[in-house]
Amino acid sequence: MRVLVVEDERRLALAVQHGLTAEGFTVDVAHDGLSGLARAMDHAYDVIVLDIMLPGLNGYRVCSRLRAAGSDVGILMLTAKDGEWDEAEALDTGADDYLSKPFSFVVLVARLKALARRIGSRAPRETVLGDLVVDSAARTCTRAGTVIPLTPREFAILDYLARRAGEAVSKRDILDAVWNNALDSDPNTVEVHVSALRRKIDTPYGRAAVQTVRGAGYRLAADGG
């Protein structure tokens, strides 16, 4: 699960980052509202841990701007202790959950996992791109009604690209989303798997759904190529 922590207390942010990384999460950190918003808009996260009191742009505004832009990322907002008004406003601006400071790390991890499950359950089961259909739940891919056998890694890459169809996605983003330990993975391995994916879902059908975006990565055509 990929998490963005937006917290201006640097020691707390670092502690949360280290703790979540040890739990198997992929974690990015931003220390102000503007950079947090920019990261959230430019990258695909499963959940954002968002503090309210941030320099530049407070957590309420970050949350409301993400929702206004159509983002359905899970947002867990950090509120003041016994701040019931903070909690109410957090939910009103579009947050999915909240946690009062100081908080238990064990509870934070449990809340993030529960939130990710809820967000995942409301995601569409199928992504239809022309005659290319990617079924995330059944983990199947069909083209023009024909089932295409894919390896688990190939399907994971396709599923990730399908969820972001039409967007340019970097090799690093694919590594973070698909490989268990992206830090130890070579970006060139992404090229190998993408080439194999093309040979299965595009070449036999005379299509070009998986496109190379020079200097950026890859994009899956929204019309299926």
Side-chain angles (χ1 to χ4, degrees):
M1 181 162 59
R2 190 168 185 186
V3 179
L4 173 63
V5 177
V6 189
E7 170 60 66
D8 64 323
E9 294 181 40
R10 291 177 180 267
R11 291 180 62 184
L12 175 59
L14 184 62
V16 171
Q17 182 182 32
H18 285 172
L20 292 179
T21 300
E23 291 286 332
F25 296 79
T26 298
V27 187
D28 292 333
V29 174
H31 297 296
D32 64 81
L34 289 173
S35 60
L37 178 62
R39 275 185 171 274
M41 296 290 281
D42 292 341
H43 302 279
Y45 293 101
D46 297 293
V47 178
I48 298 175
V49 179
L50 180 63
D51 191 26
I52 291 178
M53 301 301 293
L54 294 168
L57 198 67
N58 68 38
Y60 298 133
R61 292 186 177 182
V62 173
C63 184
S64 62
R65 290 190 186 185
L66 285 172
R67 295 309 188 217
S71 174
D72 62 354
V73 64
I75 296 177
L76 186 151
M77 198 168 282
L78 300 178
T79 68
K81 183 179 180 181
D82 299 326
E84 61 180 19
W85 294 108
D86 289 343
E87 295 165 2
E89 189 165 356
L91 297 175
D92 285 345
T93 55
D96 297 282
D97 199 358
Y98 61 83
L99 192 59
S100 299
K101 292 182 176 180
F103 54 82
S104 160
F105 180 73
V106 173
V107 172
L108 173 64
V109 171
R111 291 284 189 91
L112 290 179
K113 289 181 178 179
L115 181 53
R117 287 194 297 270
R118 293 204 302 272
I119 297 300
S121 68
R122 74 192 189 202
R125 173 187 171 98
E126 288 186 346
T127 303
V128 180
L129 310 165
D131 65 352
L132 179 67
V133 180
V134 182
D135 190 323
S136 299
R139 299 188 68 78
T140 59
C141 167
T142 60
R143 169 77 89 175
T146 301
V147 177
I148 302 173
L150 299 176
T151 67
R153 191 82 74 185
E154 290 165 356
F155 182 84
I157 293 172
L158 177 61
D159 189 41
Y160 182 68
L161 291 174
R163 291 173 186 272
R164 301 182 62 182
E167 300 179 28
V169 180
S170 71
K171 294 178 185 177
R172 176 53 56 186
D173 280 349
I174 294 173
L175 282 172
D176 288 343
V178 175
W179 270 256
N180 291 332
N181 190 349
L183 293 177
D184 293 335
S185 300
D186 184 347
N188 289 331
T189 63
V190 176
E191 295 181 16
V192 174
H193 285 82
V194 168
S195 293
L197 189 58
R198 282 174 168 150
R199 290 195 296 270
K200 293 182 178 181
I201 71 169
D202 281 344
T203 304
Y205 302 90
R207 308 293 175 81
V210 185
Q211 305 166 350
T212 298
V213 182
R214 190 174 299 276
Y218 301 100
R219 176 174 53 232
L220 189 64
D223 62 359

